[in-house]
């Protein structure tokens, strides 16, 4: 029956403003199994007809039910039949279709119609540049046809696609193509079969005018796999890097995790309208063009690396996600945390372990730490949600990867492999849970992870306070952990925190070997004997644990480590600590002129060593030169004043730029002479080149503007050109204007590069950046319909503290306006801008009140999407 017509149920039903809370503890298996799904698509941009035929049988492992609930969202129902008979005994519960089923097994056929052209949410089947494509994770399949749209219902799919050949010459779906042919009236068809049972979120189809970069890969058992990277005609020359990345990923997963690909075909399709980075649909990955297209003229070194990483990520999902999938969406980190770890390890092997680790920690600290310390904090395995799209977070992905990385550090790589082998073996073809993963690692690697499971249930970044005492040749290390309260979790238990440490001899600069200690109680003391003088402590080497270390290390110890720690991450960390310590003290207002000088001198000593150390490769030099980001600095303060943090940080940059003026010029000259290539040293040179320019521009804007223009104008690659333009965009004057104009004209029509043009201006240190953002929002190339373009302007703006946090609240108003106008078009993307306003509790009271007021203004809007509603109410909560 139609529940909306039942007065009792209608009362109980949530108002449109209060979408229901879904809880992990409420999981129950679906009462039916659907071994086979047949789909027929009659494709059209404005109208697509879908006929689905489902084989349905009772699930012996679930409580029986006399109905089947098929999820829907915005579908037009055409007809239903059961066992070949048209029926009208169905009812609707909200958007869901409820069918009565009396027997143990049935065949259900449902016809629906959808309008892909009107789908601006980009979930389900949608049109992008005249082609049709799908996005079904997490709950998009229900926008294509009525179906139990949950990850624990696994089926084999057979799909027939039919459409106009001129409009859709290429017809792609999951699995292998089994038949194709011509039809009357210029139409054609293709039939696809995917032999691997999968949940609906891994379904995909693509129809359009595409061309492929094709190749083959021979797997370890000798099977040939056809590989295709599909793009629009003109983009073909920019697909080689993606193809190479795919082959490297396939090879690496065989060698490192013993995982072989399992179909004869692997298709990747690039689309320009996409909510996320990419999607691992079985045998048919759909990618944001940003993570496919690259050549030296249009993509930076960082873009090349990101493409390699995302291609690997989606490929690795074929095992960690597809062959073993998730029981429910609370288990998302099961596939995402593990797959991120796998792509990080791959990129470490491809790009160099030291630099990659530093970059990954930087991402964690700038994206995940703020999440963990704010109103949206949640465990890597959340307990509840209203809209699952809001939980594709840095916590589930990046902290999830760190948690598994800790298991690997404690087990050692070989035992960890035994654990993952067991996991894949045990759960192949299943929808598993995080608990299944932990148990497999316990059994396979021989670890006791009883207490470690807390990392899955407790949110918040643990704080570890570190102190060292030295007495009579004994150094005593005392450690104390606290896990801060987070929403819904006021009190926490101590967690096992693995920390790699080393104790350096001050004289020799050597240490007697590293050790792994595990802090598994609230406090612990460890004694180390045999030191003739107090050693220098290097702790959390390699960032073994995703924690915040708090220590009052003597400044000279940090200078010592920044100049010579043999663990690259620890060396980077010492430099960061040195700078953070100085800036936090300066912001506290307690620095006398003399103390300021002493602090700057220590930073200069370490910075000078980094600039001139010829045993360092340039890639690492470039990392070590970077100051802690403003976001990270804001995290260090209980209540932050963004304006003052910006001013202090810029002042230190300027001071370093002046102090090292000639060294930086010499360095810039040296690296500018290195010719372009994609090898490590040349890439390192380019990183240092722009870093040097950043400091020179802070120290002496006028002379640096000339230098930056030269780098810009003479560039034969995007890394140098973008780096120089970034510096120029922060300066005043004609060179800035000319460079921006030149860049725009040169790349007009290339969407991905024009995105960079928007980003560079929105992210700039220029004092009028906020005015520039306003003007750019009115630029003819700006549109709310393309997520890349929206992000290129507004994510950069929200991440630019001095513009976004302008004291009069104008930045907050602009972001709230954006959220309100984007929400009806693309709620998923709109909701992603809310966390920037949600940081209000950690900002000084005047701005905090303005931020809160904007959140309240959004909350008061009518017809807010579930996505935005959830993020806004949690942020106010
Ligand atoms: N599973 C994908 C991420 C993803 C999630 C949701 C999407 O919907 C718009 C798209 C992609 C990954 O981890 O790469
Ligand atoms: Zn993923």
């Amino acid at each position: 029956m139609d529940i909306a017509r039942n007065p009792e149920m209608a009362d109980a039903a949530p108002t449109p403003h209060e979408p229901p809370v879904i809880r992990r503890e409420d999981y129950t298996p679906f009462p039916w199994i659907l071994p086979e799904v047949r789909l027929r698509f009659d494709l059209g941009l404005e109208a697509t007809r879908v006929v689905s035929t489902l084989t349905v049988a009772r699930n012996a492992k679930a409580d029986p039910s006399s109905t089947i609930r098929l999820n829907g969202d915005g579908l037009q129902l055409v007809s239903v039949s059961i066992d070949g008979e048209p029926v009208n005994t169905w009812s609707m519960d909200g958007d869901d279709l409820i069918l009565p089923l009396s027997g143990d097994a049935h065949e259900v056929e449902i016809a629906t119609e959808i309008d892909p052209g009107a789908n601006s949410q980009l979930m389900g089947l949608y049109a992008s540049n005249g082609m049709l494509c799908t996005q079904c994770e997490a709950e998009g399949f229900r926008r294509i046809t009525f179906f139990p749209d949950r990850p624990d219902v696994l089926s084999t799919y057979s799909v027939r696609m039919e459409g106009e050949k001129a409009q859709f010459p290429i017809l792609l779906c999951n699995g292998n193509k089994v038949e194709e042919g011509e039809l009357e009236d210029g139409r054609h068809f293709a039939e696809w079969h995917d032999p691997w049972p999968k949940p609906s979120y891994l379904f995909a189809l693509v129809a359009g005018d595409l061309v492929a970069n094709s190749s083959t890969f021979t797997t370890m058992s000798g099977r040939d796999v056809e590989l295709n990277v599909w793009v629009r005609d003109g983009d073909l020359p920019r697909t080689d890097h993606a193809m190479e990345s795919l082959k490297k990923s396939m090879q690496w997963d065989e060698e490192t995790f013993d995982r072989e690909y399992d179909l004869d075909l692997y298709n990747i399709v690039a689309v320009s309208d996409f909510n996320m980075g990419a999607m691992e649909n079985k045998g048919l990955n759909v990618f944001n063009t940003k993570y496919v297209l690259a050549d030296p003229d249009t993509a930076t070194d960082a873009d090349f690396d990101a493409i390699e990483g995302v291609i690997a990520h989606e490929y690795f999902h074929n095992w960690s996600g597809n062959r073993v999938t998730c029981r429910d969406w609370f288990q998302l980190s099961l596939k995402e945390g593990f797959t991120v770890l796998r792509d990080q390890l791959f990129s470490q092997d491809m790009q160099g372990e030291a630099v990659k680790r530093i970059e990954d920690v930087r991402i964690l600290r700038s994206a995940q730490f703020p999440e963990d310390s704010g109103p949206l904090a949640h465990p890597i395995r959340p307990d509840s949600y209203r809209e699952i799209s809001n939980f594709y977070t840095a916590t589930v992905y990046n902290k999830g990867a760190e948690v598994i990385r800790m298991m690997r550090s404690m087990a050692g790589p070989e035992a960890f492999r035994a654990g993952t082998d067991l996991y894949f073996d045990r759960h192949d073809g299943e929808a598993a849970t995080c608990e299944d993963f932990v148990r497999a690692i316990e059994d396979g690697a021989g670890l006791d992870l009883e207490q470690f499971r807390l990392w899955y249930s407790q949110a918040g970044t643990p704080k570890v306070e570190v102190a060292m005492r030295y007495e009579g040749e004994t150094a005593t290390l005392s450690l104390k952990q606290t896990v801060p309260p987070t929403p819904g979790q006021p009190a926490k238990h101590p967690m096992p925190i693995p920390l790699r440490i080393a104790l350096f001899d001050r004289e020799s600069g050597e240490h007697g070997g590293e050790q792994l200690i595990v802090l598994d109680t609230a406090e612990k003391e460890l004694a180390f004997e045999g030191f003739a003088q107090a050693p220098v402590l290097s702790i959390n080497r390699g960032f073994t644990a995703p924690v915040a270390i708090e220590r009052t290390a003597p400044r000279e110890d940090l200078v010592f480590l920044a100049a010579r720690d043999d663990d690259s991450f620890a060396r980077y960390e010492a430099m960061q600590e040195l700078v953070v310590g100085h800036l936090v003290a300066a912001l506290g207002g307690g620095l006398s002129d003399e103390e300021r000088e002493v602090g700057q001198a220590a930073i200069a000593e370490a910075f000078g060593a980094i600039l001139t150390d010829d045993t360092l490769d340039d890639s690492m030099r470039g990392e070590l030169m970077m100051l802690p980001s403003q976001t990270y600095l804001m995290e260090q303060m209980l209540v932050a004043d963004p304006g003052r943090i910006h001013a202090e940080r810029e002042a230190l940059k300027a001071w370093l730029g002046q102090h090292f003026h000639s060294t930086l010029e010499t360095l810039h000259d040296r690296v500018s002479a290195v010719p372009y290539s994609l090898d490590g040293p040349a890439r390192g040179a380019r990183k240092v080149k722009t870093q040097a320019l950043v400091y020179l521009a802070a120290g002496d804007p006028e002379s640096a503007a000339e230098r930056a223009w030269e780098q810009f104008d003479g560039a034969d690659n995007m890394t140098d050109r973008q780096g120089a333009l970034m510096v120029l965009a922060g300066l005043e004057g004609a060179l800035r204007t000319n460079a921006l104009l030149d860049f725009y004209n040169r790349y007009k029509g290339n969407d991905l590069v024009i995105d960079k043009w928007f980003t560079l201006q929105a992210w700039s240190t220029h004092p009028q950046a906020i005015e520039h953002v306003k003007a750019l929002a009115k630029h003819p190339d700006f549109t709310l319909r393309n997520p890349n373009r929206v992000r290129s302007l507004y994510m950069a703006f929200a991440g630019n503290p001095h513009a976004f946090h302008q004291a009069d609240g104008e930045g907050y108003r602009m972001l709230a306006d954006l959220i309100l106008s984007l929400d009806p078009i693309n709620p998923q993307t709109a909701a992603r801008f809310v966390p920037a306003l949600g940081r209000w509790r950690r900002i000084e009271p005047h701005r905090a009140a303005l931020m809160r007021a904007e959140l309240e203004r959004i909350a008061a809007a009518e017809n807010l999407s579930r996505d935005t509603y959830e993020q806004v109410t949690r942020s106010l909560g």
Side-chain angles (χ1 to χ4, degrees), residues 375-376 834-835 838 840-841 852 855 870-877:
L376 302 176
V834 176
W840 61 273
R841 269 195 199 77
R852 216 190 131 84
L855 285 169
E870 178 175 46
Q871 297 304 69
V872 168
T873 46
R874 284 165 79 205
S875 300
L876 283 166

Side-chain angles (χ1 to χ4, degrees), residues 122-123 135-138 201 274-280 310 313-314 317 332 335-336 389 392 397 828:
L122 314 183
M123 287 296 283
Q135 171 55 40
C136 293
E137 188 178 5
Y201 83 88
F274 201 71
N275 280 339
M276 308 275 261
M279 180 61 213
E280 71 265 23
V310 177
H313 181 96
E314 306 311 328
H317 267 317
L332 184 58
K335 75 178 177 82
E336 296 305 345
S389 297
Y392 286 77
Y397 275 64
Q828 200 178 99

Side-chain angles (χ1 to χ4, degrees), residues 430-677:
E430 288 179 10
T433 62
C434 295
E435 175 57 28
D436 291 331
F437 183 83
V438 175
R439 211 172 301 132
I441 301 297
E442 267 185 328
D443 296 348
L447 278 181
D448 176 358
L449 297 171
E450 191 54 41
Q451 186 194 2
F452 189 86
R453 284 169 168 77
L454 286 168
W455 281 101
Y456 280 88
S457 56
Q458 295 194 153
T461 304
K463 184 172 80 178
V464 179
E465 288 167 74
V466 179
M468 274 273 274
R469 280 195 321 271
Y470 174 71
E471 242 173 36
E473 304 217 333
T474 302
T476 308
L477 174 62
S478 55
L479 302 168
K480 183 173 170 219
Q481 66 161 299
T482 36
V483 188
T486 47
Q489 298 189 333
K492 304 283 169 70
H493 303 285
M495 308 203 278
I497 298 177
L499 298 165
R500 263 184 11 223
I501 64 162
L503 294 164
F504 281 84
D505 181 284
R506 270 168 218 280
E507 298 293 297
S508 65
E510 310 276 321
H511 63 79
E514 238 185 27
Q515 43 185 305
L516 182 76
I517 58 174
V518 180
L519 170 63
D520 52 7
T521 45
E523 296 186 37
K524 200 172 229 178
E525 282 211 339
L526 296 153
F528 302 91
E529 319 270 329
F531 288 94
Q533 54 174 322
V536 179
L537 171 68
S538 166
I539 190 162
N540 206 15
R541 292 157 71 80
F543 200 71
T544 7
V547 300
I549 299 282
E550 291 204 352
R551 59 167 165 174
T552 45
R555 202 182 265 134
E556 60 271 21
D557 285 14
L558 296 177
V559 175
F560 174 100
L561 295 169
R564 66 174 68 68
D565 199 318
D566 58 337
D567 180 87
S568 314
F569 173 77
R571 189 170 174 184
Y572 162 85
E573 186 70 342
M575 184 69 202
Q576 298 285 300
E577 265 185 84
L578 199 55
V579 174
V580 169
H582 175 73
L583 290 176
V584 168
L587 287 160
L591 281 192
S592 66
D593 286 353
E594 196 190 324
E595 282 165 335
R596 182 179 289 270
E597 270 172 37
V598 173
Q600 283 175 341
I603 293 172
E605 187 182 339
F607 195 77
I610 288 162
L611 293 185
T612 51
D613 180 349
D614 50 22
T615 64
L616 261 186
D617 66 52
D618 279 331
S619 210
M620 183 54 73
R621 193 187 322 282
E623 294 297 329
L624 293 172
M625 283 170 75
M626 287 180 210
L627 292 184
S629 72
Q630 177 153 352
T631 316
Y632 184 60
L633 288 166
M634 284 166 65
E635 269 302 291
Q636 308 306 305
M637 335 215 60
L638 227 46
V639 177
D641 182 335
R644 291 192 53 224
I645 295 178
H646 178 70
E648 278 292 348
R649 186 175 178 276
E650 288 305 300
L652 178 62
K653 235 162 74 183
W655 185 83
L656 286 168
Q658 282 156 12
H659 191 80
F660 288 103
H661 184 83
S662 64
T663 317
L664 287 163
E665 284 199 337
T666 313
L667 183 60
H668 189 261
D669 289 342
R670 175 186 54 88
V671 289
S672 296
V674 178
Y676 183 85
S677 87

Side-chain angles (χ1 to χ4, degrees), residues 834-851:
V834 176
L837 288 167
R839 305 287 307 144
W840 61 273
R841 269 195 199 77
R842 299 287 303 275
I843 308 285
E844 55 84 16
H846 168 74
R847 288 180 173 89
L850 296 167
M851 294 169 87

